[in-house]
Amino acid sequence: MKLDLAIVGAGIVGCACALAAARAGLRVQVIDSGRIGAGATAAGMGHLVLIDEDPAECALARRGLELWQAYREQTALQWQGCGTLWLAQSAAQVDAAQAKLQRMRAADWDCEWLDATALRAAEPQLGHQLLGALRVSGDATVYAPAMAALLAQQARELGVHFLERTTVDQLLPGALRRDGRTLVEADRVVLAAGAASRALLPQLPLRARKGHLLISDRHPGFVHHALVELGYIDSAHGDAAESVAFNLQPRPTGQLLLGSTRQMDVTDSQVEPRMLAALVQRASAFVPNLGRLSAIRAWAGSRAAPHDGRPYIGRWPGPAELWLCTGHEGLGITTALSSAELLVDGLLKRAGALDGSAFDPARCAA
Amino acid sequence: MKPAVPAPVCIHLNGKPVAVAAGSSVAAALAAHGDCTRTSVSGTPRQAFCGMGVCQECRVQVDGLSQQTGCMVQVQPGMRIHDARDPAATTPGVPRTADGPDQPRTEDDLCTPAAGADRLQDADSNSTEVLVVGAGPGGLAAALAAAQAGAQVLLLDAAAGPGGQIWRAHGGTAHAQAQRRQRQLQQLGVRQHYGLRVVAALPGRLLCEDSTGLARLITFQRLVLACGARELIMPFPGWTLPGVFGAGGLQALVKSGWPIAGQRVVVAGSGPLLLAAAHTIRRAGGRIVALLEAAPAQHLLRFGLGLLNDPARLWQALCLRAAQWNLRWRRGRRIQAALGTQHLQAVVLDDGLQLDCDALAVGDGLLPNLELPRALGCELQLMHGQQVVWTDARQQTSQPGIYAVGELTGIAGARRAQLQGRSAGLAASARPVSGQNWRLRRENAFAARLARCFARPRIDEPAPQTLICRCEDVCWSQLRDQPDWRSAKLHTRVGMGACQGRVCAPILALLKRWPLPASAQPLSLSPMRMHTLLALQDTDMAPASTLATHPASTQEHPAS
C-alpha cells in the first residue's frame, strides 16, 4: 500500500506533522537520521514564547500556544507556566516594551508593565540598573523531547510508522531514497528536517545557526520567570554573523538554563568556550550573582534560519509533490503544533485557523 | 605510631559553632555532627559516598559558595558551612531566615558584574614548560624527574595535599612518601597548587578552579596527565542509604576525619583495595564485621602465588593480612542488598546471610579517570577489558606533547605509576629515557594478574527498583529498555545531574554494553562556577602557542 505522506525529520515539528496528518486519515511514514526528538528539539530551550514583532509569526505563535494548552497536564512535558519578563535596559527599550504591551493588549494577550521597583520585587536577582520589564503571563517552558516522544506515540497509535537512524539521501519525484538504495514511494514528501533540510534541497534559502546553552546545578528559587532581554529580538531576527542575547530560564528541577548565542552558517555542534564566556559576560550584566552558580554542562545545536525570518510551510514550487515545514529558527517548539496544522490544511486544501500565505515557500522563487 | 593530635579548628555548621579536628574534610566535619547532608530528588537522605569528589552526593555550601563537594574541601578556621537540606543554601544571594551568629551573606559586596574578571588569577604566574596534573605517585615522580632535568614545572591536584588516593594524608598528617617528594619538589622550585581542579581543556591551556571559585588559566608546553582512577561500584538495592560508601571512598573519608570509631563495618567487593581499606578503617577504630571478597579462593591463591617473585609486595600483602588475622573473611560472596530506612542497618549477602552493621564499604574495581585525556583528544585502547589511555614507550599519548602515566594507562598500582612518571617527566623535558624496562615489565605483569585474579563486577540484571543514577534517582526499570545512552538521558534524566554520568555511565556501560558517550567536549570536566568561564573570552580552539617540538616527541602511531 502506497504511502500518502513521507516525512523527513522526526523532531517536534516532524512528529507534530505526522500526528496531524494521521488524524486527517493519511497513511504516513516518518524517517529520521537519528532518534525521535534528539536533534534541535533536544538542544533548545523549550520556551513557549509569544514573539509578536512580525504579525504572521505572531499569529502562528499564538495559534501554537493555543494548541499547546491541551497538553499542559501531561507531566512528562514538565510544563511550567512561569511567564516571560522582557527586560528593558534603556529608554528606547522601555518605549519598545510599551509598544509591545499595546499590541499584545489589543490582541487580548495577558501582559503588564513592571517598573523598576516592581521588577526588583518580582525578581530580586536582577541588577538594579534595569528600568523595568514587560511581563507576558501566558508564556511557559516545556521539556521538548518528551513532547516529540508523546506526539510520536499518539501518531503510532494511528498507524504512523517511524524509521529511526536512517538517512534520507535523495528526494525523487513521488519518492525518496534512504540508506543509499531503498526507495520509499509516497504521494507527497514533507521536509521537516530543520537545518539538515538544506542537504536535500540546496535551493532552499536556509542557513544553519548554531546556538550554545549552559545549564547549572540545582539552585531553586533563583529566578521565577523566563528572563529575556529585549535585544533578543534583534539577535533572532537579525543577520549578524555572531550575536549573544541574554535569555535565562528556570527549569522545574531548579536548574538554570542560560542562553542564547547565534553563529550564522556554523554547522558543527562542538562547544566553543569563548561563546560560553560571551554568554556569561552578557548575563552577568543582568543578573550579578549569576557567576556564582555552578555550571554542570554546556552543549550546542543548530537552528534552521530562513532568509526572511518566517518558516517555510507549504508546497515547494515545482512538479514534484514536495512540501516543506522547516526554517523555524528559534520558534520551533512554540509553533510546532500550529505549523503542522497549517501544513495539513494545505495538503488537504481546506481552510484552517490561519492564513498561511506569509509562509508559502513559493516566495523564495520570486 | 599514632600521629600527634593537632589542635581543633572552630567552624560554623548550619549556624552553630563547633570544634572539629584540624585537617578534616568538610564532609567528615558534618558527619561528626549529624548524618545526612542532602536530600535526593525523590526525598531520601544522602551523604558522602565516593570520598573523592566524583559522586557529588556531599555537596554543601561553604562560605556562601553553594554546591561544593565537602569531601574535597579541608576545614579552615571560621569556615561557615550549610548542608544542602536547607534549599536556600543552594541559591546564592537569597537571604535565609536568620539562624544565629551566622547571618546570611547578601552577595552584593562580592558579586559585581566585574567580579568574574577579578576572579581570574594573574596570567604571568600561570604559564609553565611542563604541567603535571595529579600529585599521586605518578604525578610526583613525573614532576620530580622533569624538575631534576632542569624543566620549569607546575604541579596541581584537586586534593588538599599531595599523595593522590594511595598516599593520602591521614588525620592531617601527610603520608611520608608524599611529604618527602613534596619537599624535594619545593627545593627544586616546582610550583605546587593543591585544591585546584581542572574544569576545561583547550589546546595548550587548562582552565582550573579552586574551592573558593577562583579561576586559573594555565598555559603549558608539555603536559603530563596523572589523573589516577576512581572506584566502580555496581548498584544493589539500598546502595544509596547513608552509611554505604565506596571501599576506597570510606578509606579516603576516614583519612580525612570521618568518625568511624566504634562503628561496625562490612567491607565487600573485589580487589586488593579492600584489604587496604579495611586496614585504614581498623586503625581509625572501626570494627570490621566481615570482609567479603567476591573472587573465588583459587583466584586469590593464584594471585598470592604470583607475588612470589616480588618479595616487597608479598611482604606488604602478608603484613596487611597478618594485621587482620582475626578478620572474618569470606570468599566468593557478594552483597545482595543494604537494609535500613534513613541509614544503613544491615546487609544481606547473596547466600541469604544478614549482617548487622553501621557502615558498608564496597568496591568492584577501579576505573581510570579518562575525562581529561578524552577532552584533550587522547586516544584510548582496550587493556584487560577496560578502556585506558594509549601511550607509546615513553608515555606519550596520541597527542604530541601530552603524556599519561599511572592508572590512566591501566590499573597497576603505585610502583608502575612511579616508573612511568619518571619516564614521562624525562620525556617531557627532552631527556632520554633509559633502562627500567625489566621493572616496568614486572609491573605490567602485576597489572595483568590483578585483572585476571580479581572478580569481574557483577553484570546480572539489578532488581527493577534499584537506583542506577544517584543524582537524578533513575532506577533500572526506567533504563532497561532504552536503546542507547543519549535516548536514556533525554527520556529519563540519567546522567543529567551534578556528576554528569561519572558514577552511572560506567555502570550502564557494563549492564547495557553501551559505549562511553562519543564526543568529549572541552567542558566535560565541570562543574565549575559560571564566572570561571569568563577566563575563556579570548580563546578559540586554535592553539595558543605552537607546542615545543624536540627529539623526544617523535610519535609512534597508536595501535588500532
Side-chain angles (χ1 to χ4, degrees):
Chain A
M1 287 247 270
K2 202 177 179 207
L3 289 171
D4 296 314
L5 201 62
I7 302 177
V8 183
I12 195 171
V13 171
C15 291
C17 291
L19 181 59
R23 280 184 175 152
L26 299 178
R27 266 188 313 277
V28 184
Q29 183 176 98
V30 188
I31 307 172
D32 196 295
S33 58
R35 296 214 182 259
I36 292 167
T41 300
M45 294 185 88
H47 191 188
L48 297 181
V49 57
L50 188 68
I51 300 265
D52 78 324
E53 274 60 31
D54 170 47
E57 250 200 333
C58 178
L60 191 67
R62 212 183 149 147
R63 179 65 183 153
L65 287 167
E66 277 168 19
L67 293 170
W68 264 102
Q69 300 302 314
Y71 292 88
R72 287 178 74 128
E73 305 306 316
Q74 300 272 359
T75 42
L77 304 189
Q78 298 175 36
W79 181 286
Q80 194 182 211
C82 54
T84 304
L85 284 180
W86 290 94
L87 306 170
Q89 280 185 299
S90 66
Q93 286 188 344
V94 171
D95 293 340
Q98 294 292 345
K100 211 166 146 72
L101 176 74
Q102 297 314 317
R103 281 196 310 271
M104 286 191 174
R105 284 245 172 92
D108 249 337
W109 209 249
D110 187 5
C111 53
E112 64 179 314
W113 171 254
L114 300 178
D115 65 15
T117 314
L119 181 59
R120 194 89 174 109
E123 290 287 2
Q125 291 292 344
L126 285 173
H128 296 234
Q129 82 285 8
L130 293 171
L131 301 177
L134 171 65
R135 169 153 61 191
V136 183
S137 310
D139 288 354
T141 66
V142 290
Y143 185 56
M147 182 59 164
L150 180 62
L151 294 170
Q153 183 50 38
Q154 291 178 345
R156 278 199 192 93
E157 285 159 12
L158 296 175
V160 176
H161 185 236
F162 285 80
L163 207 52
E164 291 175 297
R165 296 196 302 169
T166 302
T167 308
V168 173
D169 38 50
Q170 203 181 6
L171 300 175
L172 301 160
L176 52 82
R177 194 181 65 199
R178 63 173 177 85
D179 295 331
R181 48 173 207 280
T182 315
L183 273 185
V184 175
E185 291 184 332
D187 284 343
R188 291 151 172 182
V189 173
V190 172
L191 197 47
S197 305
R198 300 172 309 146
L200 290 171
L201 192 62
Q203 318 93 292
L204 182 65
L206 194 66
R207 299 164 80 179
R209 221 159 178 204
K210 184 175 180 183
H212 283 76
L213 286 176
L214 188 60
I215 196 160
S216 77
D217 200 342
R218 287 171 156 82
H219 295 277
F222 189 66
V223 297
H224 310 287
H225 302 78
L227 303 176
V228 189
E229 63 162 304
L230 277 160
Y232 176 89
I233 298 156
D234 302 322
S235 174
H237 283 170
D239 228 351
E242 261 183 32
S243 61
V244 176
F246 173 62
N247 189 334
L248 182 67
Q249 194 187 93
R251 299 299 300 171
T253 55
Q255 293 171 282
L256 282 312
L257 184 57
L258 177 65
S260 63
T261 70
R262 283 172 159 79
Q263 289 168 280
M264 198 62 105
D265 299 320
V266 180
T267 51
D268 65 82
S269 40
Q270 266 293 102
V271 170
E272 294 170 61
R274 72 179 176 88
M275 296 307 294
L276 299 180
L279 264 182
V280 175
Q281 175 79 347
R282 184 117 195 110
S284 298
F286 291 86
V287 180
N289 285 330
L290 181 119
R292 296 172 72 82
L293 297 178
S294 176
I296 63 175
R297 183 170 156 81
W299 65 90
S302 214
R303 304 176 186 82
H307 72 286
D308 59 1
R310 293 173 179 165
Y312 305 117
I313 307 171
R315 184 171 171 178
W316 178 250
E321 279 271 2
L322 176 62
W323 293 68
L324 304 181
C325 194
T326 189
H328 291 85
E329 223 270 351
L331 273 186
I333 314 296
T334 306
T335 62
L337 298 172
S338 47
S339 299
E341 182 185 62
L342 196 56
L343 176 80
V344 173
D345 286 344
L347 286 170
L348 300 178
K349 290 192 176 43
R350 66 183 182 197
L354 290 171
D355 168 19
S357 50
F359 310 108
D360 189 345
R363 72 191 195 266
C364 304
Chain B
M1 187 171 64
K2 274 180 92 175
V5 177
V9 164
C10 190
I11 61 173
H12 294 270
L13 266 183
N14 294 328
K16 295 184 186 47
V18 297
V20 299
S24 292
S25 64
V26 167
L30 273 163
H33 292 87
D35 48 6
C36 85
T37 50
R38 81 174 190 99
T39 308
S40 74
V41 299
S42 48
T44 59
R46 296 286 176 86
Q47 66 179 171
F49 172 72
C50 77
M52 46 190 79
V54 174
C55 72
Q56 309 288 315
E57 292 275 23
C58 64
R59 282 169 293 154
V60 291
Q61 186 189 69
V62 178
D63 288 341
L65 203 63
S66 55
Q67 306 294 24
Q68 291 208 64
T69 45
C71 63
M72 298 296 285
V73 179
Q74 215 170 50
V75 294
Q76 301 294 336
M79 208 173 232
R80 282 160 318 146
I81 300 164
H82 285 266
D83 71 46
R85 284 172 298 174
D86 175 3
T90 58
T91 299
V94 172
R96 285 193 312 280
T97 52
D99 45 10
D102 186 14
Q103 291 298 321
R105 287 163 76 119
T106 55
E107 311 295 353
D108 291 343
D109 54 326
L110 293 169
C111 290
T112 65
D118 293 347
R119 309 233 76 197
L120 179 58
Q121 269 283 338
D122 164 38
D124 288 340
S125 64
N126 291 328
S127 92
T128 185
E129 196 185 328
V130 176
L131 174 61
V132 180
V133 176
L140 288 168
L144 204 52
Q148 283 165 341
Q152 182 199 35
V153 181
L154 197 159
L155 170 67
L156 66 86
D157 196 303
Q165 302 305 333
I166 203 164
W167 290 344
R168 186 184 270 266
H170 194 149
T173 309
H175 190 285
Q177 301 229 48
Q179 208 173 39
R180 190 165 57 240
R181 281 159 183 75
Q182 186 180 24
R183 268 199 306 272
Q184 284 175 295
L185 291 173
Q186 253 159 12
Q187 281 157 7
L188 289 164
V190 171
R191 283 164 291 167
Q192 300 174 58
H193 293 293
Y194 297 106
L196 197 61
R197 193 166 50 90
V198 180
V199 295
L202 299 104
R205 285 151 298 173
L206 291 183
L207 180 63
C208 307
E209 190 181 284
D210 72 15
S211 60
T212 67
L214 191 68
R216 271 181 194 269
L217 188 60
I218 302 179
T219 313
F220 59 85
Q221 291 174 34
R222 265 93 60 201
L223 176 64
V224 179
L225 300 173
C227 313
R230 61 176 184 271
E231 278 189 292
L232 170 70
I233 297 123
M234 294 303 284
F236 47 85
W239 74 303
T240 56
L241 279 169
V244 179
F245 308 88
L250 184 55
Q251 183 186 39
L253 287 165
V254 163
K255 285 184 174 180
S256 79
W258 192 273
I260 201 73
Q263 296 207 358
R264 300 162 299 170
V265 186
V266 171
V267 180
S270 190
L273 178 55
L274 299 190
L275 208 49
H279 183 66
T280 303
I281 292 164
R282 265 199 167 185
R283 266 188 60 190
R287 278 199 298 132
I288 308 284
V289 168
L291 192 152
L292 310 166
E293 165 57 69
Q298 60 267 36
H299 283 205
L300 297 175
L301 187 61
R302 200 187 307 152
F303 181 74
L305 288 173
L307 292 181
L308 285 174
N309 72 342
D310 191 341
R313 213 173 237 134
L314 183 61
W315 181 244
Q316 180 190 35
L318 289 173
C319 283
L320 271 180
R321 187 69 190 91
Q324 303 181 78
W325 62 273
N326 58 347
L327 196 59
R328 191 201 303 192
W329 204 21
R330 305 191 68 180
R331 285 160 284 276
R333 290 273 154 256
R334 291 183 195 272
I335 300 287
Q336 181 91 296
L339 306 178
T341 45
Q342 301 294 300
H343 195 281
L344 176 71
Q345 285 164 327
V347 295
V348 179
L349 309 193
D350 53 359
D351 63 359
L353 180 67
Q354 181 168 319
L355 296 168
D356 291 343
C357 57
D358 306 303
L360 168 64
V362 55
D364 292 309
L366 297 175
L367 300 167
N369 289 322
L370 298 175
E371 285 77 19
L372 180 52
R374 291 181 75 222
L376 289 162
C378 299
E379 291 199 18
L380 306 181
Q381 64 171 347
L382 205 58
M383 171 92 74
H384 305 309
Q386 192 174 59
Q387 292 279 5
V388 304
V389 181
W390 176 88
T391 61
D392 66 14
R394 276 184 302 269
Q395 304 308 131
Q396 184 163 240
T397 66
S398 60
Q399 293 292 323
I402 299 182
Y403 303 81
V405 304
E407 312 294 72
L408 284 181
T409 66
I411 306 305
R415 230 194 259 158
R416 188 172 83 168
Q418 290 175 79
L419 292 169
Q420 291 179 331
R422 189 172 161 277
S423 295
L426 291 171
S429 321
R431 293 290 183 284
V433 177
S434 66
Q436 307 272 5
N437 279 334
W438 70 267
R439 285 201 181 90
L440 206 50
R441 272 199 300 274
R442 185 181 64 174
E443 298 312 317
N444 289 338
F446 177 70
R449 221 175 304 120
L450 269 179
R452 268 199 312 272
C453 294
F454 289 97
R456 292 239 166 278
R458 90 185 81 196
I459 49 172
D460 1 296
E461 204 174 293
Q465 294 313 306
T466 309
L467 290 182
I468 306 295
C469 171
R470 300 177 63 112
C471 296
E472 298 293 324
D473 286 11
V474 183
C475 66
W476 174 244
S477 63
Q478 293 170 271
L479 294 167
R480 187 176 33 207
D481 301 322
Q482 293 290 337
D484 56 39
W485 173 252
R486 182 164 166 76
S487 301
K489 262 186 82 163
L490 289 179
H491 296 293
T492 68
R493 288 193 60 81
V494 69
M496 280 193 174
C499 96
Q500 288 292 295
R502 278 175 186 72
V503 173
C504 61
I507 294 168
L508 286 168
L510 283 166
L511 291 176
K512 296 277 291 174
R513 300 195 203 293
W514 286 339
L516 290 174
S519 70
Q521 301 275 19
L523 269 77
S524 45
L525 308 164
S526 35
M528 69 179 90
R529 301 294 141 185
M530 287 204 181
H531 58 222
T532 296
L533 285 165
L534 295 172
L536 302 175
Q537 265 168 326
D538 301 317
T539 62
D540 54 37
M541 294 314 287
S545 59
T546 51
L547 293 170
T549 54
H550 49 79
S553 73
T554 49
Q555 182 195 347
E556 296 154 24
H557 285 292
S560 55

